[in-house]
Amino acid sequence: MLEHPTTKPRDGFQWKIDEMVARVDDAKANETYYYQQAVRELDGAWVLTEEGRKLMFATYSYLGLLGHPDINRAAQEAIERYGTGTHGVRLLGGTLDIHLELEKTIARFHGREDAIVFSSGYVTNLATISTIVGKGDWVISDKWNHASIVDGCVLARGHFVRFRHNDMKDLERRLQQAPEDAGKLVVADAVFSMDGDIFPLPEAVELCRKYNARLMIDEAHSLGVLGATGHGIEEHFGMPGVIDVKMGTLSKTIPGVGGYITADQELITFLKHAARAFIFSAALPPPVAAACKAGFEVIEREGVERNRILSRNVEHFIQGLQARGFDTGVSVTPIVPIMTYDEEKAFLMTKYCQDNGVFVLPVVPPAVPHGKSRLRANVTAAHTIEDIGFALDVFEAAGKFAGVI
Ligand SMILES: Cc1ncc(COP(=O)(O)O)c(C=O)c1O
């Protein structure tokens, strides 16, 4: 008879598991572990956790649409009509009329011919880049791009190179290195997710045209945020229709889950029949698809006013932090890094904020380079001026407590 081992078997994987577990245990022992903290209830910009009521600064709900009555109602009606799941993958029995309506709504919103929806934003980048970029092709990616773009480039079978962040001279150098007849995909975030700065679209478009490259832009943090009506980076620069492959998520400004590509009809047809994550993975649940469609419709109706409040809040928040002596890096958007540089100080500052009613989280290596630790505070249209005033006071006290200012 086989005996059960009394200790866990050691193998070549165990060291990295031990290392991570020790890091997590350490943070928990020091009471500085705030990841995966459960929210019990929402109340506008405030949330209820086990430790009490806190003002949320770790949300991507930039226009404050989470809990919007029209969006909630759309989800409830979809459950009544279709149930909670689908019959499987989109290509076979999983497509509902609500999926097609969502794709039409997205395409119309962005002024494109068609759209394809995937089960997450992460999967959208992974699937799209690895499907478009094959052997002999080049993918040229900004160094600060989101992990899902990087992973898509790694998965792609083509040649993967990076250019220095927002550096158009370096992008041109990379474009010159690629063979003239190779497929070339340049890919970048519209708003960079750790630093809150904006990609220089006009210069990139010019270079892509010069070198016959396609441009893919990830609008995860610019949908609802950039442009006076919240339509994204093309509206911000007054350049409608210049992006070849426009990617977005349904989990940030749009309060659901999923991701999409919107583009010309041909590219969408190609992706719908070649992207493995579309072909071999189940369709979005009906309440999510319905909520996302309603989300775009709410932006069309209320985007201008909500965007005006968001812009006011961004300005007020960044100026308030800078006046108190914080370094907010290069941010000009609702993603506001509060630089601590030191990892320990980021955890200390977080603890002070969390203990004093502000829900904010640290971003530390490997998510950012060593020596670039920070708190990432996202301000939204749901915050009032009084909310921001309260948060600024807490951040100031936390910064002094941790020795950041
Ligand atoms: C720029 C960017 N792209 C893609 C994603 C992935 O989106 P999702 O969380 O919807 O999977 C994120 C997530 O934070 C992101 O910041």
Side-chain angles (χ1 to χ4, degrees):
M1 202 172 110
L2 276 175
E3 280 191 13
H4 287 292
T6 49
T7 54
K8 274 195 257 175
R10 314 295 300 179
D11 60 17
F13 304 119
Q14 197 60 41
W15 67 270
K16 58 182 153 190
I17 299 171
D18 288 345
E19 194 176 280
M20 184 58 79
V21 170
R23 216 172 150 194
V24 172
D25 286 350
D26 238 31
K28 286 184 176 168
N30 295 334
E31 296 182 359
T32 55
Y33 186 86
Y34 285 98
Y35 299 116
Q36 302 177 63
Q37 187 183 172
V39 167
R40 291 179 172 176
E41 227 176 281
L42 295 182
D43 175 15
W46 293 76
V47 294
L48 192 65
T49 73
E50 196 180 338
E51 296 172 343
R53 209 163 165 264
K54 297 182 186 182
L55 183 58
M56 188 48 131
F57 271 84
T59 175
Y60 299 122
S61 183
Y62 296 119
L63 294 183
L65 299 186
L66 194 57
H68 191 292
D70 296 355
I71 299 175
N72 285 0
R73 198 174 318 111
Q76 283 153 4
E77 284 171 8
I79 290 184
E80 291 306 318
R81 189 159 163 201
Y82 308 95
T84 53
T86 60
H87 297 108
V89 302
R90 286 285 304 279
L91 205 60
L92 303 178
T95 294
L96 303 171
D97 52 1
I98 192 78
H99 292 121
L100 301 178
E101 287 166 25
L102 171 61
E103 287 167 345
K104 272 203 197 91
T105 303
I106 291 170
R108 209 178 311 120
F109 184 91
H110 286 293
R112 296 302 198 277
E113 288 175 3
D114 205 355
I116 174 174
V117 168
F118 293 88
S119 55
S120 79
Y122 179 89
V123 162
T124 304
N125 277 331
L126 213 66
T128 303
I129 297 169
S130 64
T131 304
I132 293 177
V133 180
K135 251 187 164 170
D137 300 328
W138 279 51
V139 58
I140 307 174
S141 169
D142 187 288
K143 272 198 174 163
W144 286 13
N145 277 344
H146 187 257
S148 54
I149 296 177
V150 178
D151 293 356
C153 296
V154 170
L155 191 65
R157 296 199 176 176
H159 196 63
F160 169 29
V161 294
R162 303 197 297 168
F163 60 95
R164 280 196 294 274
H165 172 58
N166 273 357
D167 182 336
M168 295 299 102
K169 279 209 173 69
D170 204 37
L171 171 59
E172 179 156 30
R173 184 178 68 86
R174 289 306 201 180
L175 283 163
Q176 283 165 344
Q177 287 171 346
E180 217 178 306
D181 58 348
K184 293 179 273 292
L185 183 71
V186 172
V187 54
D189 290 0
V191 168
F192 288 86
S193 58
M194 294 295 164
D195 294 80
D197 55 336
I198 300 171
F199 185 65
L201 185 70
E203 294 84 348
V205 166
E206 205 180 308
L207 287 175
C208 286
R209 286 183 181 158
K210 183 171 168 191
Y211 292 95
N212 196 25
R214 291 198 194 199
L215 180 60
M216 173 170 172
I217 297 290
D218 177 333
E219 296 249 36
H221 299 279
S222 48
L223 173 67
V225 172
L226 293 187
T229 65
H231 280 65
I233 193 166
E234 290 178 334
E235 185 186 15
H236 175 81
F237 284 107
M239 303 176 75
V242 291
I243 295 168
D244 302 298
V245 188
K246 187 183 269 254
M247 180 272 173
T249 66
L250 301 170
S251 63
K252 297 180 174 25
T253 295
I254 301 291
V257 71
Y260 62 86
I261 297 292
T262 186
D264 61 39
Q265 185 68 64
E266 284 181 349
L267 186 76
I268 300 302
T269 300
F270 168 64
L271 289 175
K272 282 192 171 175
H273 297 87
R276 294 165 70 82
F278 183 81
I279 299 169
F280 296 108
S281 187
L284 278 190
V288 171
C292 293
K293 175 174 172 281
F296 282 97
E297 290 162 355
V298 169
I299 300 178
E300 296 283 22
R301 282 200 305 276
E302 302 175 11
V304 174
E305 180 54 13
R306 285 178 183 265
N307 194 267
R308 191 189 60 73
I309 296 170
L310 179 63
S311 302
R312 179 204 65 183
N313 286 356
V314 168
E315 205 179 309
H316 188 62
F317 186 52
I318 292 179
Q319 277 178 4
L321 285 168
Q322 289 177 350
R324 284 162 173 83
F326 286 111
D327 176 0
T328 57
V330 285
S331 175
V332 287
T333 66
I335 300 174
V336 185
I338 302 176
M339 301 302 298
T340 63
Y341 304 103
D342 179 75
E343 188 172 330
E344 198 57 40
K345 286 182 181 174
F347 282 112
L348 269 181
M349 215 179 136
T350 301
K351 179 168 171 50
Y352 188 98
C353 290
Q354 292 275 357
D355 287 350
N356 288 278
V358 172
F359 193 122
V360 69
L361 289 165
V363 183
V364 297
V368 288
H370 282 277
K372 296 271 186 192
S373 290
R374 68 203 57 192
L375 267 62
R376 186 174 55 166
N378 295 344
V379 64
T380 76
H383 291 121
T384 62
I385 290 292
E386 293 72 38
D387 286 338
I388 295 171
F390 166 74
L392 286 171
D393 288 345
V394 173
F395 284 127
E396 182 175 5
K400 287 177 179 160
F401 172 74
V404 174
I405 51 170

